[in-house]
Structures are given as C-alpha cells and as structure tokens.
Amino acid sequence: MVGPILIFDSGIGGLSVFEPIHSQLPHHDIYYLFDNARLPYGDLNEQELIRGCVELIIKQVRQINASIVVVACNSASTLVLPELRKQLTIPIVGVVPAIKPAAQISKTRHIGLLATPGTVARQYTQDLISSFAGGCNVTLVGSSELVLIAEAKAKRQTVDHAKIADILTPINSTDLDTLVLGCTHFPLLRQEIDEALTHKVVLLDSGDAIAARVMSFIDTNENDSTDIQGTLKAGYTKEIDAGLKETLADYGFTQLEYIAVAN
Ligand code: DGL
C-alpha cells in the first residue's frame, strides 16, 4: 500500500475537502494535519504564513511518508505551492476559489466571493476574476470571524446566527445569484449560511474539484484491490478540546496526535 494522503489546513476547514476525497477513496489512508496554533491564517502576513506552513507540511510528509499533499486552504495554497513543489517530489494539490464555474452559471451576471481577508486581498484572486469573471459584477466579502464560527461549531459550541447574518449583509443587499465559498471552512456552515441569505443564491465550493484532481494521481487498481478501510489519523499544533475530538471521531479520525511547532 502506498503512503497516506496528507490533507492540510489551518483548522477544521480541510474536513470539507477530506469528505469528497474519503468518499471516493475509502480504502486509502489519510492524515489530516491542521495548524490550529496559528489560526486564523486569513489574518497572517504572507511571509509568516509561508514559513510556518512549509516547515510543518514537509516535516509531516517525511514523518508519515505521504504519497500526495492536498493544501486544503485557499489562504495558503497559492503562497505555499511553489516552495512545496521545490522541496518535494510527490504530487501537491492546491485549492483556488470556484470563481470560474460561478461566472459560468450566474444568470444575473453578479457573483460573490466569501473568503478570508487574506484571500480577498490577494493578487491571484484579482487575476482569477479578470481571467474568468470579466463580464460579471463581483462582490468580495472577507471574514475571519466566519472561520472562528465554523471552528466553534466543530467544537460543539453555540453558533452565532445573528453574527452570520451580519457578515452576509453585503451579499443580501445585492442581486447576486451565485456565491463562491472561497474558504474551506465555509462549506461546514453551508446550512447556516443558506438560512441567513434573504434571497435564492447558489453556493459553490471546490471540494469535488479537488477530489477529482487527487483521483487523477491515484492508481485505481491499487484503490480497488482491498476491502480494508483506510486508516484516518489527525495531527494538530495546539491541544484540542473534547468537543472537537468528538467531531473528528464522527468523521472517522480516532488516532489523534499533538505536533509541537516553534512559534
Ligand atoms: N480554511 C482556510 C481557507 O480556506 C483558512 C482559514 C483561516 O485560517 O483563516 O482559506
């Protein structure tokens, strides 16, 4: 059996990418690595973000002998991919906001991007918009608070619905019909976001596209040759509470470990 797929995020957001990958590859070992000591990434400066992610991912790839890395974080992907590709020879899959499909399906020609402040401000987001959504009006909303609300939900704490409605005000006051969830944390709040929207909006994320990309690197003979379920392990950089452990167990992660990192 080949080494595990390593899925990386700052927090629990990568679980929205883990789900479609695991449902297609139930026999494959998966290691979910999250850097909760430094969350939220959307507020970190670029150099700090790159340094910490690259060190942590490379250390863990070597430790577990990973066969593929999935950077399941929009805020980190475009920044860390070039350095990871320089230092590793295994496939590295990243994630970008689903601007292109959103522009293709929007009828009002008005789309939205709900992401972290870092993603909303980056040049690559501007480039995606000019390349693929040139004919559309694009409303950008950046929020780290929504990331923390998703984290709270995963810890089984109360979800602040009024706060979500407040964050979505710039979207509710427009005629946009398609909203890109450009942060992997946000599909975990899909129902809450949907409920807070005051008109019909299609919500798009990149989970299935990333799973398809991962599948393109998998030897399907290998994948089908066993009935044994893959082992699911998770590692984090700051101790987690009982609520989050329960949530991870619900996803199938029963082997958990703390990974010490320098600050
Ligand atoms: N889940 C991440 C993303 O897709 C990062 C959230 C954060 O730590 O700010 O952007």
Side-chain angles (χ1 to χ4, degrees):
M1 186 71 179
V2 289
I5 297 169
L6 187 147
I7 301 177
F8 173 78
D9 184 33
S10 59
I12 48 86
L15 293 174
S16 70
V17 174
F18 158 77
E19 274 193 301
I21 294 175
H22 180 55
S23 78
Q24 297 216 40
L25 295 170
H27 310 303
H28 213 99
D29 295 343
I30 295 182
Y31 190 100
Y32 184 59
L33 173 63
F34 59 103
D35 186 16
N36 53 334
R38 299 193 314 137
L39 172 136
Y41 274 8
D43 292 346
L44 285 186
N45 81 53
E46 295 192 358
Q47 285 319 313
E48 202 184 337
L49 199 158
I50 295 170
R51 185 189 50 79
C53 290
V54 169
E55 263 177 42
L56 177 61
I57 294 171
I58 288 180
K59 174 180 155 180
Q60 214 48 25
V61 162
R62 298 201 168 126
Q63 180 72 27
I64 65 170
N65 196 20
S67 56
I68 300 179
V69 173
V70 181
V71 181
C73 174
N74 292 267
S75 311
S77 265
T78 50
L79 296 178
V80 303
L81 258 46
E83 194 52 40
L84 288 178
R85 288 188 173 129
K86 254 191 240 162
Q87 298 199 39
L88 297 170
T89 50
I90 56 175
I92 319 276
V93 177
V95 48
V96 289
I99 299 278
K100 186 179 177 182
Q104 282 166 346
I105 63 167
S106 172
K107 295 210 163 51
T108 58
R109 310 309 297 146
H110 189 163
I111 66 172
L113 171 65
L114 184 61
T116 66
T119 298
V120 160
R122 288 221 169 96
Q123 185 57 44
Y124 89 82
T125 301
Q126 287 312 320
D127 295 345
L128 270 180
I129 292 171
S130 359
S131 307
F132 301 114
C136 286
N137 189 356
V138 184
T139 297
L140 301 172
V141 177
S143 173
S144 286
E145 219 164 357
L146 205 52
V147 172
L148 300 179
I149 295 173
E151 289 285 330
K153 182 181 176 187
K155 289 178 189 157
R156 307 188 170 214
Q157 296 166 357
T158 320
V159 170
D160 189 341
H161 293 271
K163 192 87 240 163
I164 297 176
D166 203 37
I167 294 164
L168 297 181
T169 306
I171 290 158
N172 280 331
S173 56
T174 69
D175 69 340
L176 71 81
D177 64 353
T178 312
L179 179 62
V180 177
L181 302 180
C183 166
T184 53
H185 276 72
F186 300 165
L188 303 170
L189 290 172
R190 184 182 293 276
Q191 196 185 331
E192 291 82 353
I193 291 171
D194 209 32
E195 280 164 14
L197 289 166
T198 51
H199 63 284
K200 200 174 155 23
V201 175
V202 175
L203 302 178
L204 283 188
D205 67 74
S206 312
D208 289 338
I210 301 166
R213 183 84 186 119
V214 169
M215 287 303 287
S216 73
F217 292 110
I218 300 288
D219 174 351
T220 37
N221 294 327
E222 169 94 39
N223 184 38
D224 294 339
S225 64
T226 172
D227 283 338
I228 303 165
Q229 287 290 309
T231 303
L232 304 180
K233 289 189 191 170
Y236 37 81
T237 55
K238 184 178 161 190
E239 276 306 343
I240 60 173
D241 65 12
L244 186 49
K245 283 184 184 161
E246 268 181 59
T247 297
L248 287 167
D250 283 352
Y251 278 90
F253 293 96
T254 43
Q255 300 189 40
L256 307 177
E257 64 178 341
Y258 165 72
I259 300 165
V261 283
N263 276 316

